[in-house]
Amino acid sequence: MTLHLPPEIAERVEAVAHAGRRADALTLIEMLREITGLEPTLWKGIIGFGEYHYRYASGHSGTAPAAGFAPRAGASVIYLPDGIDTYAAELAGLGPHKTGVGCLYIARLDRTNLSVLEDILARSFAAVTAGTFTQRAREGAAPSDTSGRPPLDPPAPPAR
């Protein structure tokens, strides 16, 4: 697969020693281009698409890629800012993978159900770009809440 890539993205992909991981990176770039309608940019080694702004309850805030991945030596690390737990049912049909709080580790895309992966990536991108998502995976919404909105404050205890 030959893709037209910005020079910094092409350099990042070419720097990956494992030929299979380089091919996987090109597949992920094409998939994320289709999902997001955006071109990739480099974020400290992460190949990202779009951005979202977050603010923790502590007041710390920042900007991160709305969708992205990093081709690493052992696996492609796919970032899901809205958290892995949001996709528990889908992950059962994905194929071999490992997870972190907001990361999906895939060693070989040729063993992955790409339609499931595409659905997960599309839903995640939609959630974090809807304008209501303000958290990162480690402080995100409860697993049952797929709205992307931060959790509501708990109700006050009943009066005695």
Side-chain angles (χ1 to χ4, degrees), residues 1-157:
M1 176 185 316
T2 303
L3 300 175
H4 174 70
L5 299 172
E8 66 278 5
I9 302 297
E11 288 174 20
R12 176 68 182 99
V13 171
E14 286 303 314
V16 177
H18 190 278
R21 204 87 57 244
R22 280 194 308 274
D24 288 354
L26 295 175
T27 299
L28 288 168
I29 288 169
E30 188 58 29
M31 182 183 291
L32 286 165
R33 275 179 165 162
E34 289 180 28
I35 290 168
T36 67
L38 301 169
E39 289 299 310
T41 56
L42 202 58
W43 295 68
K44 299 180 183 176
I46 296 171
I47 299 172
F49 294 79
E51 63 182 42
Y52 77 101
H53 304 283
Y54 62 89
R55 178 177 300 279
Y56 295 146
S58 67
H60 174 80
S61 65
T63 302
F69 73 98
R72 309 260 187 213
S76 296
V77 182
I78 300 169
Y79 300 98
L80 299 172
D82 53 338
I84 292 294
D85 290 341
T86 304
Y87 306 101
E90 291 87 348
L91 291 172
L94 182 65
H97 68 277
K98 294 181 181 179
T99 61
V101 174
C103 299
L104 177 59
Y105 301 88
I106 299 178
R108 293 181 54 179
L109 281 183
D110 63 353
R111 295 182 178 172
T112 302
N113 184 328
L114 294 180
S115 63
V116 171
L117 179 60
E118 189 171 355
D119 180 57
I120 291 169
L121 292 171
R123 286 182 47 211
S124 179
F125 182 75
V128 300
T129 59
T132 58
F133 190 86
T134 58
Q135 302 283 309
R136 292 188 80 175
R138 68 174 172 248
E139 292 187 6
S144 61
D145 179 4
T146 60
S147 68
R149 288 184 224 102
L152 299 173
D153 291 331

